[in-house]
């Protein structure tokens, strides 16, 4: 059964309600309920039971979802132990002692995000949870932390030569090329598309520009001004996705040791890398690229989080820092801190499954198809998956739907020379749409790991993402339609973004410090006169 425009109602409802009410739980559940009611021929009773039995329970019976959910909770438990044994404070003190300004702290956050390139889920959760206490000390707003975490997750994972994305992306490319009868190596085509991932590359660069210029604009500037002047890392009415259980775990250790945090965190990274290789068949003779592509990332991430937790617990016991009871109490407290985000993830997955039943993505693509001039192919192949990913909250889902249509369409309308730009546009367009969507799991994870109010993260990040996307279209995808070298576009795009930031942005701290000094001088004069 085709639902047409009705298929857009749940996704749009979830987005609008989330923006208006700031209640993500309620918004997602209402969206799932309304969509289920549509599927049930507008019978609200059947729709209600279908919401619970089919979609919410269904989300919890999917092996991938359950593994990722346990990974999130276990990472929370790990952070709970690291907070209790003094490891978190130790690494914070170590970095803060060297990071004299928030600029160096934010660069460290960006660098860690780039280095954890192998998976966007692991990236968001590890970077946000590790750097949060450090950025808090530097009076960096939680919104800014969440933005950096989110902007170094999918953008880097989607273009990394070895990551959990590679197999998925090359698989889509391979199927599309076979459909049009083109005999090319899917991995070679994947490599050729990297320069055309204008949004992903420029988003990573834009974060660096913001860090080193110290300039912000829009809602982010307001958030940074609040944090700098008042010390409030969040708005008074904010509802961070992580509860305060972890923050209440005060370390009783006199000399906090940084390696009690670094070693378990590094172990998570190492286990993930080797786990992907082993799980993907590396020991059976597969290449590194093939092994990473064929690995089940959800299972490997679960291995890594449990392994890191065990190492943290053993280190705490061996140094007689914590007892077994204290370790378990801290672990449970850390898990509790993730319950809010876990519920939202389940509802987001339920909504994604519902959109699949309604055919939301297919309808969006069918509406967008039509008479397309060849030079517009890269632009449209960027915009269409962006809309799909924004509406559904899934970049992988958007890629899965759009790519099988994009490759034949690009080949038919523009010939072989349009294949690589079109493929690159689809893959990075999905990242952009997912990046902006309040119902995206990676966006939710970034809010969760940064302990940020989710809608505050979305609202502060979106202007930056839109600016990068606009520049990507104007100096990237439109010129690509006329055969302009992508490296030229990347250079011009970088210059344009830098100019935009300098024109519209401001060094909030300097400006407010000046205003504060002027106000203090004025008050002193008034006191003297009186």
């Amino acid at each position: 059964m085709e639902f047409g425009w009705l298929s857009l109602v749940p996704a749009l409802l979830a987005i609008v309600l989330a923006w208006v009410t700031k209640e993500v739980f309620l918004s997602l559940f209402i969206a799932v309920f309304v969509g289920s009611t549509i599927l049930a021929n507008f019978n609200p009773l059947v729709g209600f039971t279908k919401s619970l039995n089919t979609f919410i329970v269904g989300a919890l019976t999917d092996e991938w979802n359950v593994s990722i959910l346990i990974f999130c909770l276990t990472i929370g438990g790990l952070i709970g132990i690291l907070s209790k044994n003094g490891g978190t404070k130790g690494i914070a003190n170590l970095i803060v002692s060297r990071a004299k300004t928030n600029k160096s702290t934010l660069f460290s956050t960006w660098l860690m995000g780039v280095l954890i390139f192998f998976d966007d889920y692991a990236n968001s959760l590890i970077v946000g949870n590790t750097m949060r206490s450090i950025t808090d000390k530097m009076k960096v707003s939680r919104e800014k932390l969440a933005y950096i975490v989110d902007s170094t997750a999918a953008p880097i994972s989607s273009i990394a030569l070895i990551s959990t994305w590679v197999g998925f992306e090359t698989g889509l490319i391979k199927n599309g090329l076979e459909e049009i009868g083109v005999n090319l190596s899917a991995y070679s085509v994947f490599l050729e598309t990297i320069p055309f991932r204008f949004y992903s590359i420029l988003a990573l660069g834009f974060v660096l520009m913001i860090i080193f210029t110290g300039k912000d604009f829009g809602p982010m500037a307001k958030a940074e001004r609040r944090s700098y002047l008042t010390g409030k890392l969040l708005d008074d009415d904010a509802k961070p996705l992580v509860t305060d259980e972890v923050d209440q775990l005060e370390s009783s250790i006199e000399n906090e040791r940084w390696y009690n945090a670094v070693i378990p965190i590094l172990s998570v990274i190492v286990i993930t890398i080797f786990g992907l290789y082993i799980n993907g068949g590396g020991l059976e003779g597969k290449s590194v690229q093939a092994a990473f592509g064929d690995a089940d990332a959800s299972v490997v991430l679960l291995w890594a989080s449990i392994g890191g937790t065990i190492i943290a617990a053993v280190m705490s016991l061996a140094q007689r820092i914590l007892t077994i009871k204290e370790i378990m109490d801290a672990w449970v407290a850390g898990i509790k801190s993730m319950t809010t985000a876990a519920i939202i993830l389940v509802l987001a997955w339920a909504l994604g499954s519902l959109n699949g039943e309604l055919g939301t993505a297919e309808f969006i693509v069918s509406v967008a198809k039509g008479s397309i001039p060849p030079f517009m192919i890269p632009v449209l192949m960027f915009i269409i998956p962006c809309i799909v990913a924004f509406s559904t909250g899934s970049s992988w889902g958007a890629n899965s739907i759009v790519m099988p249509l994009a490759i034949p369409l690009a080949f038919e309308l523009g010939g072989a020379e349009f294949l690589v730009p079109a493929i690159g546009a689809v893959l990075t367009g999905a990242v952009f749409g997912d990046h902006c969507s309040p119902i995206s799991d990676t966006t939710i994870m970034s809010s969760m790991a940064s302990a940020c109010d989710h809608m505050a993260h979305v609202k502060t990040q979106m202007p930056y993402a839109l600016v990068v996307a606009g520049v990507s279209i104007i100096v990237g995808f439109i010129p690509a339609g006329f055969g302009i070298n992508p490296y030229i576009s990347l250079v011009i795009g970088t210059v344009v973004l830098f100019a935009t930031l300098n024109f519209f942005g401001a060094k909030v701290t300097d400006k407010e410090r000046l205003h504060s000094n002027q106000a203090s001088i004025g008050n002193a004069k008034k006191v003297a006169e009186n």
Side-chain angles (χ1 to χ4, degrees):
M1 180 178 179
E2 295 183 0
F3 293 93
W5 290 100
L6 278 176
S7 66
L8 300 178
V9 171
L12 293 177
L13 188 62
I15 293 167
V16 171
L17 286 177
W19 276 88
V20 173
T21 67
K22 297 183 180 180
E23 294 290 343
V24 183
F25 280 169
L26 183 64
S27 302
L28 287 172
F29 182 77
I30 290 176
V32 173
F33 167 67
V34 170
S36 299
T37 302
I38 292 173
L39 285 173
N41 295 319
F42 299 95
N43 185 322
L45 183 59
V46 175
F48 179 76
T49 57
K50 195 176 184 69
S51 300
L52 299 174
N53 300 341
T54 302
F55 295 107
I56 294 178
V57 173
L60 289 170
T61 56
D62 181 270
E63 288 186 9
W64 171 278
N65 291 350
V66 172
S67 296
I68 292 298
L69 193 62
I70 297 175
F71 170 70
C72 293
L73 295 174
T74 308
I75 282 289
L78 171 60
I79 298 303
I81 296 174
L82 301 184
S83 298
K84 188 67 176 178
N85 72 8
T88 302
K89 280 189 176 181
I91 192 174
N93 293 335
L94 178 68
I95 294 179
V96 169
S97 66
R98 288 163 173 75
K100 303 300 182 182
T101 64
N102 67 352
K103 182 181 296 185
S104 55
T105 299
L106 292 177
F107 176 70
S108 298
T109 305
W110 178 89
L111 184 61
M112 183 180 291
V114 171
L115 292 176
I116 304 178
F117 56 84
F118 48 83
D119 184 77
D120 54 333
Y121 284 6
N123 186 308
S124 296
L125 293 172
I126 292 173
V127 176
N129 280 303
T130 301
M131 297 302 297
R132 189 169 72 226
S133 61
I134 304 168
T135 55
D136 284 356
K137 288 187 178 182
M138 289 294 177
K139 292 186 178 181
V140 174
S141 66
R142 293 281 177 80
E143 292 92 336
K144 173 65 76 65
L145 174 61
Y147 164 63
I148 296 176
V149 168
D150 210 354
S151 296
T152 54
I156 189 65
S157 297
S158 63
I159 61 176
L161 302 183
I162 299 174
S163 75
T164 54
W165 285 61
V166 171
F168 170 73
E169 292 179 324
T170 54
L172 291 177
I173 294 171
K174 180 176 181 294
N175 291 338
L177 294 176
E178 288 177 349
E179 184 178 339
I180 61 175
V182 174
N183 186 22
L184 292 173
S185 165
Y187 190 73
S188 297
V189 173
F190 163 80
L191 294 178
E192 291 180 33
T193 67
I194 292 178
F196 290 96
R197 312 284 189 95
F198 297 117
Y199 177 78
S200 299
I201 296 171
L202 291 177
L204 289 166
F206 195 53
V207 175
L208 274 183
M209 295 179 203
I210 290 172
I211 291 172
F212 285 108
T213 62
K215 293 185 176 183
D216 287 288
F217 58 84
M220 187 68 79
K222 182 180 178 181
E224 285 290 275
R225 186 179 302 119
R226 177 206 67 227
S227 182
Y228 176 75
L229 290 177
T230 69
K232 294 180 179 179
L233 304 173
L234 294 162
D235 274 329
D236 292 332
D237 60 347
K239 297 178 180 178
L241 283 194
V242 172
T243 53
D244 59 0
E245 277 86 356
V246 170
D247 293 334
Q248 293 174 354
L249 291 173
E250 293 294 334
S251 171
S252 58
I253 310 303
E254 292 183 1
N255 297 316
E256 292 91 0
R257 303 179 177 102
W258 58 268
Y259 51 80
N260 282 334
V262 170
I263 293 176
I265 291 171
L266 283 178
S267 70
V268 172
I269 297 173
V270 171
I271 293 171
T272 301
I273 293 174
F274 280 98
L276 290 171
Y277 180 73
I278 294 170
N279 182 265
L283 298 180
E284 299 168 5
K286 288 186 179 181
S287 66
V288 175
Q289 292 91 341
F292 270 63
D294 293 341
D296 185 342
S298 65
V299 173
V300 174
L301 290 173
L302 187 56
W303 296 349
S305 61
I306 295 292
T309 300
I310 293 173
I311 290 172
V314 170
M315 289 180 67
S316 299
L317 284 173
Q319 298 172 73
R320 297 184 179 180
I321 297 173
L322 301 175
T323 64
I324 292 179
K325 183 180 185 306
E326 288 174 329
I327 290 172
M328 293 308 300
D329 288 345
W331 188 67
V332 170
I335 287 178
K336 287 180 180 178
S337 72
M338 296 293 186
T339 52
T340 299
I343 295 172
I344 291 179
L345 272 179
V346 171
L347 290 173
W349 286 328
L351 181 59
S353 177
L354 172 68
N355 287 331
E357 292 284 334
L358 291 171
T360 304
E362 290 89 340
F363 175 71
I364 293 173
V365 173
S366 67
V367 170
K369 285 181 65 176
S371 179
I372 304 172
F375 76 90
M376 287 297 293
I377 290 174
V379 174
L380 291 177
M381 291 305 102
F382 175 75
I383 294 175
I384 293 173
C386 159
I387 296 172
V388 174
F390 182 83
S391 302
T392 61
S394 172
S395 55
W396 283 32
N399 285 330
S400 299
I401 293 299
V402 179
M403 190 65 78
L405 299 174
I407 291 179
L409 190 63
F411 187 71
E412 179 182 345
L413 296 180
E417 65 268 23
F418 279 91
L419 280 177
V420 171
I423 293 171
V426 170
L427 296 175
T428 197
V431 170
F432 166 59
D434 182 80
H435 209 185
C436 292
S437 177
I439 58 175
S440 159
D441 50 3
T442 50
T443 304
I444 292 168
M445 285 183 182
S446 297
S447 300
M448 172 181 67
S450 305
C452 181
D453 181 284
H454 182 53
M455 292 312 299
H457 167 45
V458 173
K459 290 178 180 179
T460 52
Q461 174 171 267
M462 187 171 288
Y464 288 173
L466 288 172
V467 167
V468 175
V471 171
S472 298
I473 291 173
I474 295 171
V475 306
F477 294 114
I478 291 178
F482 293 98
I484 303 298
N485 189 299
Y487 293 102
I488 296 176
S489 295
L490 287 172
V491 172
I492 296 175
T494 301
V495 173
V496 172
L497 283 175
F498 187 78
T500 302
L501 180 60
N502 275 280
F503 183 79
F504 291 103
K507 293 184 178 181
V508 179
T509 53
D510 290 346
K511 182 174 66 175
E512 292 303 322
R513 185 183 295 113
L514 177 61
H515 289 173
S516 298
N517 292 341
Q518 290 173 342
S520 299
I521 293 171
N523 291 334
K525 287 182 178 179
K526 289 180 181 179
V527 171
E529 290 172 359
N530 293 332

